[in-house]
Amino acid sequence: GFNENKSHNIIDINQCLMLDSSLNEILPKIKEFLKEFISIAITVKVKKNKIETKYINKGSIRLLKADNGIDVLFVLPINPGVEHRMLVADFVNSNEKIIRFCWQINNSAPEEIVTKISPKLYISDYEIDIPVGAFLQASKDAETKMINKVIGYLGEISGSLADLFCGLGTFTYPLSKIKGVDD
């Protein structure tokens, strides 16, 4: 959902026009999964002899449409427990389109919880492994249009070319195929 204007209230959405159809299709399943996920209690030691029961009621979800499936990343404020891991395993194994599920606690390194197959991106006939939390363009169509624009701007160039801040290589791989360009 989205935050309501000037508030912390979340406005529920059933479909986002910006999302790939496969991501829109998985949203209801993610919502059902979340209901169960947030209902699981975690016992946390807060002081020397004090234990509290907590629930994960904050965080964010990042869905990525790889060329071979859906990659899920939960960013959470506290570390989930064993029951959460078991729930994730059942959820991923019952959803064929989800290929990897990770979580990240605050700013720590992401942890892969279930990986059926590594998420891939195909750029100019190159197969790229997608690292957890990677940034991609909003859609494959947008990516293709951007690549075509960049190549069109270059015209008939030759010599060396640098792709600064290249990320996963959205422009690097297509540019490497231009004759006369040193890579």
Side-chain angles (χ1 to χ4, degrees):
F2 294 98
N3 282 350
E4 183 178 13
N5 189 24
K6 298 180 183 178
S7 83
H8 294 288
N9 296 331
I10 303 292
I11 298 172
D12 193 19
I13 60 169
N14 295 320
Q15 180 175 318
C16 176
L17 298 175
M18 297 297 291
L19 288 181
D20 179 90
S21 62
S22 63
L23 294 178
N24 269 319
E25 289 171 13
I26 201 77
L27 285 179
K29 293 176 184 177
I30 295 274
K31 286 180 184 181
E32 286 303 311
F33 168 78
L34 279 174
K35 288 177 187 176
E36 194 170 349
F37 190 85
I38 65 172
S39 73
I40 299 172
I42 305 168
T43 304
V44 180
K45 187 175 181 180
V46 290
K47 290 185 180 177
K48 222 178 204 180
N49 295 321
K50 189 172 181 186
I51 294 175
E52 286 184 4
T53 299
K54 294 191 175 196
Y55 295 88
I56 299 173
N57 57 9
K58 292 181 182 177
S60 64
I61 302 168
R62 298 177 188 171
L63 301 175
L64 185 142
K65 170 64 173 82
D67 286 336
N68 61 338
I70 297 173
D71 190 17
V72 179
L73 172 63
F74 276 20
V75 180
L76 305 168
I78 59 176
N79 204 6
V82 173
E83 287 183 63
H84 290 97
R85 289 176 185 275
M86 292 168 45
L87 181 66
V88 166
D90 289 343
F91 177 67
V92 173
N93 288 325
S94 67
N95 288 282
E96 65 183 38
K97 291 185 181 182
I98 297 176
I99 57 174
R100 180 171 68 185
F101 191 110
C102 306
W103 60 49
Q104 179 178 11
I105 312 308
N106 295 315
N107 294 320
S108 66
E111 179 184 355
E112 291 187 38
I113 306 304
V114 177
T115 303
K116 292 192 275 191
I117 54 174
S118 181
K120 306 277 186 198
L121 184 64
Y122 299 96
I123 304 174
S124 289
D125 301 325
Y126 290 95
E127 180 181 272
I128 316 300
D129 285 323
I130 302 174
V132 178
F135 169 80
L136 297 180
Q137 301 307 321
S139 69
K140 198 69 161 166
D141 185 48
E143 178 183 277
T144 301
K145 287 178 180 175
M146 290 171 64
I147 290 169
N148 290 338
K149 282 280 189 197
V150 168
I151 290 173
Y153 288 139
L154 294 175
E156 297 293 322
I157 65 159
S158 63
S160 296
L161 185 66
D163 184 4
L164 304 176
F165 309 103
C166 63
L168 291 177
T170 300
F171 303 114
T172 306
Y173 294 107
L175 292 173
S176 72
K177 294 193 173 221
I178 297 175
K179 276 192 169 185
V181 172
D182 297 331
D183 51 345

